[in-house]
Amino acid sequence: MYFVLFITVLITAVFLVVAAYVIAKLIGPRTYNKVKGEPFECGIPTYGSSWIPVSVGYYLFAILFLIFDVETMFLYPWAVSLNSFGTMAIVSVGFFLLVLVFGLAYAWRKGALEWK
């Protein structure tokens, strides 16, 4: 029974992807000009090469932001159903938050949150 359901969902998913691709090719605009192939940022044409080195600090800052964003995602369901949990769940989440705070303190101490 589950195998038939799995195959049905798989066939439906493949059909919808192929149908969306075919419909986009059939009714989508087919115009091309040289401007569409150029790099574009904020309405200002780029000068020189677009492949310039970027500081690693930007990527590190983005990764830290994602880590704490995901932390919020994990804490929300826990906070919603807090009444049904016992003491061990509160201790577990406290440990989870402690690890994240230590990670933030480490990144702060290493200067990962400063723009240079």
Side-chain angles (χ1 to χ4, degrees), residues 4-20:
V4 174
L5 182 63
F6 175 74
I7 295 298
T8 305
V9 169
L10 188 65
I11 290 172
T12 304
V14 169
F15 173 75
L16 288 175
V17 169
V18 170

Side-chain angles (χ1 to χ4, degrees), residues 18-30:
V18 170
Y21 182 75
V22 168
I23 290 171
K25 282 294 184 185
L26 289 176
I27 66 174
R30 293 185 180 89

Side-chain angles (χ1 to χ4, degrees), residues 7-87:
I7 295 298
T8 305
V9 169
L10 188 65
I11 290 172
T12 304
V14 169
F15 173 75
L16 288 175
V17 169
V18 170
Y21 182 75
V22 168
I23 290 171
K25 282 294 184 185
L26 289 176
I27 66 174
R30 293 185 180 89
T31 60
Y32 176 80
N33 60 32
K34 191 174 179 180
V35 176
K36 286 185 179 180
E38 292 180 4
F40 182 77
E41 183 177 344
C42 301
I44 302 170
T46 57
Y47 296 104
S49 174
S50 296
W51 294 96
I52 58 172
V54 179
S55 173
V56 177
Y58 293 112
Y59 298 109
L60 187 58
F61 197 83
I63 288 172
L64 287 171
F65 173 76
L66 286 175
I67 288 171
F68 289 102
D69 194 38
V70 170
E71 168 204 356
T72 306
M73 182 183 70
F74 282 131
L75 286 177
Y76 183 73
W78 175 83
V80 168
S81 58
L82 180 61
N83 291 337
S84 63
F85 292 147
T87 307

